[in-house]
Amino acid sequence: GLVTNPRIDGNGNLPSSETTSAEDLVEYIRQDGAPTEKPLVMISARFKGDKYEDMVRELASELKKAGVNAYIVGVGSGMTFGNKTLFGLHNMVVMVCFCTPHYGERTVSVYSSFGELKYASEKRIDILPIKMCEDKDYPPSPNRDFDGQNLGPAQNKFVFSADLVYNDWSSREWDAEKCAKETKESLMKMGKCPLL
């Protein structure tokens, strides 16, 4: 695409984080068509290139169609997702967690669902889980961490406590439009539904 900021290279990448200004970051995100400088609903998921990734991206699209200022990280080949993740975390007023069996897995990347959930929990950002796994697997208990620890499952147990209400899609036939409608209704009840 057209690069309007000279600090962004032809592949849409910013320079290293040591030299990236907030202005560069906003311009980088603006070029991708993402919302800028407005409160948003951050959608957090474990991206593995599987059916769940397709489903959560459908949900994000349907939420936007319903007028919700929903944000999900998306990048193309050769682009970086770290800055886009930081932008979403910084501007979110609520986080929707797409709780698949591998959600919250602590990977080598700090820009993971584990890191996003940790940030939201520590900053006391409201969380709306969408339960995609069976009762026996909820809260999600992902694989051991990349370094052999179990911090991912431990954090999930802590954050997704028994009294945190979730939208349950674990045994329903997937319908992104219906899920978006229910999610928007839940966000409205929470008083955390920024609109486009």
Side-chain angles (χ1 to χ4, degrees), residues 13-100:
N13 294 313
L14 283 167
S16 70
S17 59
E18 295 91 44
T19 59
T20 302
S21 71
E23 181 180 288
D24 289 333
L25 180 56
V26 169
E27 180 61 25
Y28 174 64
I29 292 166
R30 186 174 285 124
Q31 287 185 11
D32 191 42
T36 57
E37 300 174 20
K38 289 176 63 175
L40 54 84
V41 175
M42 172 95 174
I43 301 176
S44 175
R46 174 73 171 99
F47 298 123
K48 294 177 62 105
D50 58 5
K51 70 175 184 175
Y52 292 120
E53 182 170 349
D54 294 339
M55 292 161 78
V56 74
R57 292 196 183 281
E58 289 172 3
L59 172 62
S61 177
E62 290 297 329
L63 282 167
K64 289 176 187 175
K65 287 179 189 174
V68 177
N69 194 18
Y71 181 83
I72 188 168
V73 173
V75 296
S77 298
M79 297 175 75
T80 60
F81 56 87
N83 287 336
K84 290 190 176 192
T85 302
L86 293 175
F87 176 85
L89 294 173
H90 178 73
N91 290 291
M92 71 177 167
V93 294
V94 63
M95 187 162 73
V96 171
C97 300
F98 203 69
C99 293
T100 61

Side-chain angles (χ1 to χ4, degrees), residues 13-191:
N13 294 313
L14 283 167
S16 70
S17 59
E18 295 91 44
T19 59
T20 302
S21 71
E23 181 180 288
D24 289 333
L25 180 56
V26 169
E27 180 61 25
Y28 174 64
I29 292 166
R30 186 174 285 124
Q31 287 185 11
D32 191 42
T36 57
E37 300 174 20
K38 289 176 63 175
L40 54 84
V41 175
M42 172 95 174
I43 301 176
S44 175
R46 174 73 171 99
F47 298 123
K48 294 177 62 105
D50 58 5
K51 70 175 184 175
Y52 292 120
E53 182 170 349
D54 294 339
M55 292 161 78
V56 74
R57 292 196 183 281
E58 289 172 3
L59 172 62
S61 177
E62 290 297 329
L63 282 167
K64 289 176 187 175
K65 287 179 189 174
V68 177
N69 194 18
Y71 181 83
I72 188 168
V73 173
V75 296
S77 298
M79 297 175 75
T80 60
F81 56 87
N83 287 336
K84 290 190 176 192
T85 302
L86 293 175
F87 176 85
L89 294 173
H90 178 73
N91 290 291
M92 71 177 167
V93 294
V94 63
M95 187 162 73
V96 171
C97 300
F98 203 69
C99 293
T100 61
H102 296 285
Y103 183 84
E105 184 174 352
R106 188 167 160 256
T107 65
V108 175
S109 174
V110 297
Y111 305 108
S112 63
S113 56
F114 175 87
E116 293 167 356
L117 186 61
K118 185 176 191 303
Y119 179 89
S121 176
E122 289 176 353
K123 297 294 183 184
R124 300 195 187 283
I125 301 290
D126 287 329
I127 293 171
L128 173 61
I130 298 177
K131 182 175 168 261
M132 298 300 296
C133 46
E134 297 178 20
D135 288 340
K136 67 179 180 62
D137 298 321
Y138 190 84
S141 185
N143 298 328
R144 282 192 172 276
D145 303 343
F146 71 94
D147 59 2
Q149 296 185 63
N150 270 318
L151 296 177
Q155 177 175 258
N156 285 352
K157 274 187 182 175
F158 175 74
V159 175
F160 301 120
S161 59
D163 63 343
L164 180 60
V165 179
Y166 53 79
N167 288 353
D168 192 352
W169 277 84
S170 61
S171 60
R172 297 165 65 185
E173 185 175 334
W174 178 246
D175 184 323
E177 187 177 351
K178 283 183 184 175
C179 185
K181 183 178 185 240
E182 290 176 9
T183 301
K184 182 178 180 180
E185 288 170 2
S186 296
L187 293 169
M188 297 288 278
K189 287 178 187 172
M190 295 168 70

Side-chain angles (χ1 to χ4, degrees), residues 1-13 27-28 31:
L2 179 63
V3 176
T4 57
N5 185 328
R7 294 180 46 81
I8 300 171
D9 70 22
N11 291 323
N13 294 313
E27 180 61 25
Y28 174 64
Q31 287 185 11

